[in-house]
């Protein structure tokens, strides 16, 4: 079914389509590919420079501009030529084969459905909070660049996340402006007959209707569900009123809408994804509805259907602490899923609850959506190497008796969509070095290309970027101060805030305690000395929001404002309010150093520091998240001892001192130490190495290619194999699983012999399998890892001698370790299942 966007005049009916070319301009404004294409900026600047600067929303510019201005520009050969070239380029790129088509044209993958609670595509579509939306938006954009077939599903919020104002006393004020669909780059999702597609979902037995919207981002479409339908009761119209708003009752309904409603939406569009990618556990109820759909279509049981569909599901966790997962009480779950379990899934309610509990038999335990996602997926991954290790510890209780290293959580470290975050200066530099299509392929030559750029050119680029940031800070600060009563002298002073030749540090985060946004304030006098040094001055730009009801977080913001005021540091430190995507773009494009100070290991990955890489910024960060695997002394500076210290204030004091030391002894001297041509050669070396090696490595281009080849393609093949012939393969899996379950506890380890051989040992063991076929289990020799290495796991082979289901297993190993280091174990291994993810049984020899 084709659901291409209809013309702008059909959507809202007010654009002057009688002016030739306006429909083409509207089509461009409604394709969010403009959010990462700098060439299109010039069109919107020509129509209304101020409105474009303030909103970066082409759809608003197009609706607001006067008709006579539109007529003049459309009649202007230069403007019309720019528009025609952009439309032609867009059509050429969309019709040309991309990386996926060139490398995986015969793959069994036609669609990946990507589910996320938030998407950060542009400040023009404020349906995001922060990091999770950033990851989702950047991956969609890279999927478009690479031609990976993705259809995304999310929610359309009436208010989105709050907007921030900070009064002159440092108090954060939260504002919730309404998201007017008519001013956002979204269109109603209409069926071929013109009907607005609406999805019905039962909530506590009550039918609720959800409107649908679509957003185009190059090759990719994002579908959004919205509860604000006039036919709904007021209590239901408010389900999508705000992102992460309300209490558990609203949260569970949002997650039902995302998971169950999202799958129903795809069905209504005729979209049949082989793979469903859940970006966090908010969409976990998708697991139930996808299995429900397969069950009814193919006449299977729910358990058999889940064995099929889980093979095509991928769960990405971003959470670093157990408290971060969504939990719903048994009573709330029964309210929304009691009838659903029986009438839709054909199972009793306790069996459904067991999917979300650590102990399936504990009826008082709450329902954890992350547990449901794990039990309903064929693969699970964390978002950095360190976070993968943290997640394996978090989920170890679901896999009793399994070593933590084998808890089935893989890793794809996050990355950012570089074309969305590079400045015009960076775009020009990289284009000259690596070509315009550099982010649409495999990035193999980028490091070599950056290494050819002369030092002078890199330094000129950095100076231009910093100068642009200084101008932006002055303008934004002036607007910010005018919101509250200020003296004219104070407002006029904004014109001299910051110096374009001064080392500029940036810090922008959510203001929550574990991010430690006030670590720099531990010794205020020392920080003041660093900032106000006459010969080597430093300036600092800060931004960040505290959650609306987080009083300690708000106090952290107030502490910074008071620090600036009390020490009259207006020209050296600026706190910019309303941290959003547009502000982030300007900060990461202009700062020399990006500072990040979370408590290890509470930052799952972090992406803000990745955004400075393409722009020549250098990171000074805690060895947490992505920086723990990215850092070397050649690319930046690091805090921390790779240990975990919790919220120990003594350790905070130590790290604050280390941070000051780094600034005083390495960062500041490195920036101001110049050669005879005025170039800081050592600084440029670090900047170049960071740009050349880290930018491609931590790009969303690499991330999407890695997801595709590591997860999507295998998942699609496995799902199709299990789904064939109405799930016959999955029925065999369930038969074998139940058979092994009934026989498992009667397996026994018999006589064991260990013989010395040259350079190692021969292990032999007699095992009674209680009627289980040897091909249904794996017998392994296991030894814990040494010196930071992973465990040793060696498969043992069954011998030819057997008697009544009893088998000899043996293996010869070459090792210098003691024989006592090795233990024999048995695990399930049948019909291509993934153990321990799908079957967590394991037996160890005592």
């Amino acid at each position: 079914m084709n659901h291409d966007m209809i013309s702008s005049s059909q959507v809202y009916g007010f654009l002057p389509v009688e002016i030739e070319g306006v429909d083409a301009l509207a089509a461009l404004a409604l394709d969010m590919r403009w959010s990462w294409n700098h060439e299109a900026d010039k069109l919107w600047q020509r129509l209304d420079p101020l409105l474009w600067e303030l909103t970066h929303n082409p759809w608003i510019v197009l609706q607001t501009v006067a008709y006579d201005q539109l007529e003049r520009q459309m009649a202007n050969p230069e403007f019309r030529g720019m528009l025609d070239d952009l439309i032609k380029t867009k059509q050429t790129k969309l019709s040309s084969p991309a990386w996926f088509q060139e490398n995986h044209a015969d793959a069994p993958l036609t669609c990946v459905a990507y589910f996320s609670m938030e998407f950060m595509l542009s400040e023009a579509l404020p349906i995001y909070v922060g990091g999770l939306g950033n990851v989702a938006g950047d991956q969609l954009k890279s999927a478009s660049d690479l031609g990976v077939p993705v259809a995304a599903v999310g929610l359309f919020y009436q208010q989105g996340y709050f907007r921030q104002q900070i009064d002159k006393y440092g108090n954060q004020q939260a504002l919730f402006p309404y998201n007017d669909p008519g001013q956002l780059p979204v269109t109603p999702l209409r069926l071929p007959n013109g009907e607005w597609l609406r999805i019905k979902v039962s909530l506590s037995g009550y039918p609720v209707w959800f409107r649908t919207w679509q957003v185009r981002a190059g090759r990719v479409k994002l579908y959004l569900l919205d509860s604000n339908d006039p036919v709904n009761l007021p209590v239901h119209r408010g389900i999508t009123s705000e992102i992460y708003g309300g209490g558990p009752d609203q949260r569970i309904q949002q997650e039902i809408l995302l998971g169950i409603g999202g799958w129903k939406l795809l069905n209504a569009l005729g979209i049949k994804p082989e793979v469903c990618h859940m970006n966090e556990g908010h969409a976990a109820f998708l697991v139930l509805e996808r299995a429900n759909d397969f069950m009814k279509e193919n006449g299977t049981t729910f358990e058999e259907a889940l064995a099929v569909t889980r093979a095509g599901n991928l769960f990405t966790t971003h959470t670093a602490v157990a408290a971060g997962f969504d939990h719903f009480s048994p009573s709330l779950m029964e309210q929304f899923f009691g009838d659903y379990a029986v009438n839709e899934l054909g199972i009793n309610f306790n069996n459904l609850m067991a999917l979300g509990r650590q102990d399936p038999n504990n009826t008082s335990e709450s329902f954890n959506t992350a547990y449901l996602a794990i039990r309903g997926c064929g693969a699970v991954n964390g978002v950095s190497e360190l976070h993968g290790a943290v997640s394996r510890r978090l989920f170890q209780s679901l896999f009793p008796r399994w070593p933590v290293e084998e808890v089935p959580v893989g890793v794809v470290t996050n990355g950012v969509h570089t074309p969305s975050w590079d400045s015009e200066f960076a775009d020009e530099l990289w284009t000259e070095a690596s070509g315009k299509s550099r982010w649409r392929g495999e990035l193999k030559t980028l490091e070599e290309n950056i290494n050819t750029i002369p030092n002078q050119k890199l330094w000129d680029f950095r100076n231009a970027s910093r100068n642009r940031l200084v101008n932006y800070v002055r303008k934004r600060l002036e607007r910010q101060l005018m919101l509250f009563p200020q003296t004219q002298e104070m407002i006029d002073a904004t014109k001299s805030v910051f110096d374009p030749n001064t080392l500029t540090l940036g810090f922008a985060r959510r203001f929550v305690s574990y991010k430690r946004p006030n670590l720099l304030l531990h010794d205020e006098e020392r920080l003041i000395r660093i900032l106000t040094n006459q010969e080597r001055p430093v300036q600092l730009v800060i931004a960040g929001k505290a959650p609306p009801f987080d009083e300690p977080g708000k106090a952290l913001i107030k502490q910074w404002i008071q620090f600036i005021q009390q020490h009259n540091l207006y020209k050296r430190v600026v706190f910019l309010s309303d941290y959003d995507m547009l502000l982030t773009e300007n900060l990461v494009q202009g700062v020399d150093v990006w500072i990040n100070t979370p408590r290890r290991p509470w930052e799952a990955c972090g992406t803000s520091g990745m955004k400075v890489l393409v722009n020549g910024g250098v990171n000074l960060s805690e060895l947490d998240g992505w920086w723990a695997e990215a850092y070397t002394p050649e690319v930046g500076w690091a805090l921390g001892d790779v240990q975990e210290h919790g919220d120990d204030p003594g350790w905070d004091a130590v790290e604050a001192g280390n941070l000051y030391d780094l600034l005083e002894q390495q960062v500041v001297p490195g920036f101001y130490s110049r050669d005879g041509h005025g170039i800081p050669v050592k600084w440029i070396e670090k900047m170049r190495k960071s740009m050349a090696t880290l930018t491609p490595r931590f790009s969303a281009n690499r991330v999407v290619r890695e997801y595709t080849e590591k997860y999507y393609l295998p998942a699609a093949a496995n799902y199709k194999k299990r789904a064939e012939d109405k799930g016959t393969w999955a029925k065999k899996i369930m038969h074998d699983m139940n058979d092994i379950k009934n026989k498992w506890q009667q397996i026994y380890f018999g006589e064991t012999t260990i013989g010395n051989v040259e350079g190692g040992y021969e292990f032999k063991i007699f095992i009674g399998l209680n009627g289980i076929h040897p091909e249904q289990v794996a017998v392994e020799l296991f030894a814990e890892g040494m010196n930071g290495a992973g465990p040793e796991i060696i498969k043992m082979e069954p011998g030819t001698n057997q008697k009544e289901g009893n088998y000899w297993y043996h293996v010869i190993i070459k090792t210098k370790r003691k024989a006592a280091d090795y233990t024999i174990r048995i695990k399930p291994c049948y019909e291509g299942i993934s153990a321990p993810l799908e079957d967590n049984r394991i037996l160890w020899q005592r």
Side-chain angles (χ1 to χ4, degrees):
M1 191 180 295
N2 185 13
H3 294 278
D4 287 334
M5 291 182 179
I6 56 183
S7 74
S8 58
S9 58
Q10 290 175 282
V11 176
Y12 297 113
F14 54 75
L15 288 182
V17 292
E18 67 276 6
I19 302 176
E20 186 183 356
V22 165
D23 259 352
L25 199 58
L28 199 64
L30 286 170
D31 184 346
M32 296 194 71
R33 190 178 175 277
W34 51 259
S35 68
W36 70 93
N37 181 351
H38 296 295
E39 294 173 0
D41 294 357
K42 299 171 186 176
L43 286 175
W44 317 117
Q45 288 169 347
R46 290 278 289 269
L47 289 175
D48 193 326
L50 179 59
L51 191 56
W52 172 251
E53 180 186 351
L54 293 174
T55 67
H56 274 229
N57 184 338
W59 191 233
I60 284 183
V61 171
L62 192 56
Q63 293 175 68
T64 307
V65 66
Y67 287 5
D68 57 353
Q69 165 71 339
L70 257 181
E71 285 182 316
R72 281 194 301 272
Q73 293 297 338
M74 294 304 293
N76 183 314
E78 182 185 1
F79 184 92
R80 189 58 187 266
M82 287 167 45
L83 173 60
D84 292 344
D85 288 346
L86 283 168
I87 295 295
K88 183 178 179 181
T89 300
K90 173 186 170 184
Q91 292 170 343
T92 300
K93 287 179 178 176
L94 292 180
S95 60
S96 300
W99 170 83
F100 183 84
Q101 288 71 36
E102 291 174 345
N103 291 273
H104 301 289
D106 298 325
L109 179 65
T110 62
C111 181
V112 176
Y114 189 102
F115 291 74
S116 183
M117 199 77 153
E118 51 175 302
F119 290 88
M120 182 191 287
L121 289 168
S122 163
E123 60 277 4
L125 185 59
I127 56 171
Y128 60 86
V129 171
L132 188 69
N134 186 171
V135 168
D138 279 15
Q139 288 178 15
L140 288 198
K141 294 173 185 179
S142 283
S144 173
D145 292 340
L146 296 166
V148 179
V150 171
V153 180
L155 303 184
F156 183 79
Y157 303 100
Q158 287 96 284
Q159 293 179 322
Y161 201 46
F162 80 96
R163 306 301 298 270
Q164 178 196 56
Q165 285 186 358
I166 301 173
D167 67 23
K168 63 181 181 180
Y169 304 108
N171 299 307
Q172 172 181 282
Q173 299 179 1
L175 306 173
F176 293 87
Y178 177 68
N179 278 342
D180 180 357
Q183 295 185 336
L184 303 178
V186 301
T187 54
L189 183 54
R190 296 191 181 277
L191 299 173
N193 64 2
E195 178 188 353
W196 193 346
L197 177 62
R198 295 154 72 238
I199 303 297
K200 184 173 73 170
V201 177
S202 177
L203 295 174
S204 300
Y206 199 93
V208 183
W209 290 92
F210 297 95
R211 305 184 300 186
T212 62
W213 305 81
Q214 69 176 353
V215 180
R216 183 185 287 279
R219 291 180 173 90
V220 171
K221 288 182 181 176
L222 165 61
Y223 301 107
L224 301 173
L225 287 151
D226 160 28
S227 66
N228 193 24
D229 190 310
V231 304
N232 292 330
L233 295 174
V235 66
H236 293 138
R237 293 185 71 173
I239 291 172
T240 56
S241 59
E242 59 180 297
I243 187 168
Y244 306 132
D249 187 80
Q250 183 173 4
R251 176 66 70 87
I252 196 173
Q253 290 181 84
Q254 287 186 345
E255 296 189 7
I256 290 169
L257 175 55
L258 179 62
I260 295 178
W263 181 258
K264 288 177 179 289
L265 168 59
L266 295 177
N267 261 344
L269 295 176
I271 296 173
K272 301 290 185 182
E274 294 86 8
V275 177
C276 290
H277 187 169
M278 287 173 271
N279 189 41
E280 249 316 333
H282 307 121
F285 295 130
L286 157 72
V287 165
L288 305 177
E289 187 63 18
R290 187 180 188 188
N292 180 29
D293 197 44
F294 186 90
M295 176 179 71
K296 291 178 176 174
E297 188 174 320
N298 295 280
T300 69
T301 66
F302 171 74
E303 291 79 5
E304 292 165 346
L306 184 59
V308 173
T309 56
R310 74 176 299 171
N313 293 338
L314 169 63
F315 169 42
T316 296
T317 173
H318 298 254
T319 304
V321 291
F325 298 119
D326 283 331
H327 295 77
F328 299 117
S329 68
S331 60
L332 192 63
M333 284 293 296
E334 186 166 19
Q335 177 185 342
F336 288 99
F337 286 96
D339 289 342
Y340 180 85
V342 176
N343 299 331
E344 294 291 330
L345 305 183
I347 61 176
N348 67 54
F349 175 67
N350 284 334
N351 286 349
L352 186 152
M353 288 295 291
L355 292 170
R357 285 174 168 158
Q358 177 182 321
D359 178 0
N361 299 315
N362 182 357
T363 57
S364 64
E365 184 181 338
S366 63
F367 188 93
N368 186 324
T369 55
Y371 292 172
L372 171 62
I374 289 172
R375 290 179 172 129
C377 284
V380 181
N381 75 279
V383 290
S384 71
E385 292 291 344
L386 178 59
H387 179 243
V390 169
S391 298
R392 285 187 280 275
R393 294 201 303 267
L394 285 176
F395 296 131
Q396 189 173 18
S397 62
L398 298 184
F399 306 94
R401 300 176 299 282
W402 281 84
V404 66
E405 298 91 345
E406 294 184 86
V407 172
V409 179
V411 170
V412 177
T413 301
N414 284 337
V416 297
H417 183 252
T418 45
S420 292
W421 302 104
D422 62 353
S423 67
E424 292 181 49
F425 303 129
D427 187 29
E428 291 171 6
L429 185 82
W430 283 82
T431 298
E432 184 177 335
S434 304
K436 199 68 181 171
S437 299
R438 60 192 175 276
W439 303 118
R440 295 194 287 271
E442 297 193 355
L443 318 181
K444 292 178 179 178
T445 65
L446 294 190
E447 180 176 353
E448 178 184 339
N449 296 339
I450 292 299
N451 287 334
T452 66
I453 302 174
N455 282 354
Q456 184 67 59
K457 193 159 196 171
L458 283 176
W459 186 233
D460 290 344
F461 154 62
R462 185 89 292 279
N463 287 332
S465 300
R466 189 185 321 103
N467 185 69
R468 182 177 176 276
L469 174 62
V470 168
N471 290 331
Y472 174 81
V473 167
R474 290 171 177 174
K475 290 180 182 178
R476 179 138 181 166
L477 182 61
E478 181 180 11
R479 291 199 304 269
Q480 181 175 316
L481 292 180
M482 291 175 70
L483 292 173
F484 298 97
Q486 300 284 354
T487 65
Q488 189 60 44
E489 180 183 5
M490 177 67 74
I491 294 174
D492 290 342
T494 60
K495 296 178 174 58
S496 59
V497 162
F498 279 17
D499 182 335
N501 298 308
T502 292
L503 171 63
T504 304
L505 314 179
F507 183 97
R509 315 293 302 163
R510 277 191 303 128
F511 268 63
V512 291
S513 59
Y514 85 85
K515 301 276 190 182
R516 297 191 299 182
N518 289 25
L519 192 66
L520 270 170
L521 292 176
H522 186 80
D523 185 339
E524 293 186 359
E525 294 304 319
R526 192 170 176 186
L527 177 58
I528 292 169
R529 289 197 298 272
I530 293 171
L531 293 167
T532 59
N533 185 295
Q534 293 299 309
E535 295 181 0
R536 293 176 170 179
V538 175
Q539 56 202 17
L540 172 64
V541 57
I542 310 166
K545 295 177 178 179
F549 304 106
D550 183 352
E551 297 306 320
K554 295 178 188 178
L556 296 174
I557 293 175
K558 190 169 188 176
Q559 187 181 353
W560 268 110
I561 301 300
Q562 291 177 341
F563 169 74
I564 297 168
Q565 293 173 343
Q566 290 170 3
H567 300 285
N568 196 27
L569 291 169
Y570 298 102
K571 293 189 177 183
R572 285 280 177 262
V573 185
V574 170
F575 196 117
L576 295 178
S577 65
D578 203 23
Y579 181 41
D580 65 359
M581 190 173 179
L582 181 57
L583 175 53
T584 305
E585 286 176 24
N586 282 278
L587 295 185
V588 300
Q589 290 169 5
V591 298
D592 298 300
V593 178
W594 192 261
I595 295 178
N596 189 24
T597 55
R599 287 195 175 98
R600 179 184 168 109
W602 294 355
E603 180 115 299
C605 181
T607 57
S608 60
M610 299 177 187
K611 296 163 191 166
V612 305
L613 301 172
V614 69
N615 296 295
V618 186
N619 280 273
L620 191 172
S621 180
E622 179 74 25
L623 287 169
D624 194 12
W626 77 284
W627 194 240
E629 61 196 82
Y631 169 72
T632 64
E634 294 78 24
V635 298
W637 301 273
L639 286 171
D641 60 356
V642 303
Q643 303 301 312
E644 298 174 17
H645 298 273
D647 56 0
D648 177 10
W651 182 250
D652 289 348
V654 169
E655 290 217 302
N658 293 340
L659 177 54
Y660 298 135
D661 288 344
L662 282 172
L663 290 171
E664 292 167 341
Q665 299 169 21
Q666 297 185 39
V667 178
V668 176
F671 181 85
Y672 286 107
S673 297
R674 312 290 170 88
D675 67 5
H677 301 286
I679 298 174
V681 177
K682 295 293 184 183
W683 187 279
I684 293 297
E685 287 178 6
K686 197 178 292 279
M687 169 184 161
R688 184 195 301 277
K689 190 72 172 178
S690 171
M691 291 178 71
T693 62
L694 300 187
T695 307
R697 182 178 164 193
F698 294 98
S699 68
N701 169 295
R702 185 269 308 158
V703 172
V704 172
R705 287 187 290 114
E706 190 172 345
Y707 270 122
T708 300
E709 295 179 336
K710 187 175 180 179
Y711 289 112
Y712 296 165
L713 294 175
N718 198 13
Y719 166 74
K720 286 197 165 186
K721 182 178 180 181
R722 294 192 183 188
E724 285 177 352
D725 193 22
K726 295 185 178 294
T728 298
W729 191 283
K731 293 177 183 178
K732 182 70 166 61
I733 289 174
M734 293 308 302
H735 175 272
D736 287 1
M737 183 179 293
N738 289 325
D739 184 53
I740 289 171
K741 177 182 178 182
N742 293 330
K743 298 175 179 178
W744 189 256
Q745 293 305 322
Q746 282 70 49
I747 293 175
Y748 68 90
F749 295 92
E751 178 186 352
T752 304
T753 62
I754 305 173
N756 291 314
V757 299
E758 186 178 353
Y761 311 98
E762 181 178 20
F763 288 81
K764 291 183 180 180
I765 186 168
F766 189 71
I767 295 179
L769 290 179
N770 189 35
I772 298 173
H773 196 281
E775 291 184 358
Q776 294 179 310
V777 296
V779 179
E780 297 172 336
L781 204 59
F782 176 92
E784 293 183 353
M786 298 176 63
N787 302 319
E792 290 184 56
I793 302 172
I794 305 107
K795 185 177 181 182
M796 301 184 73
E797 299 295 341
T800 55
N801 296 330
Q802 61 159 307
K803 184 178 180 181
E804 297 179 356
N806 301 323
Y807 296 83
W808 278 99
Y809 282 82
H810 71 97
V811 69
I812 295 175
I813 63 170
K814 302 294 183 179
T815 182
K816 295 181 179 179
R817 298 180 66 168
K818 295 179 296 184
D821 288 351
Y822 294 88
T823 305
I824 296 171
R825 69 184 194 179
I826 305 172
K827 69 180 186 182
C829 181
Y830 55 89
E831 301 297 343
I833 62 122
S834 173
L837 185 61
E838 294 184 90
D839 191 333
N840 67 358
R841 294 176 181 84
I842 193 166
L843 292 174
W844 296 85
Q845 185 184 29
R846 290 188 176 91

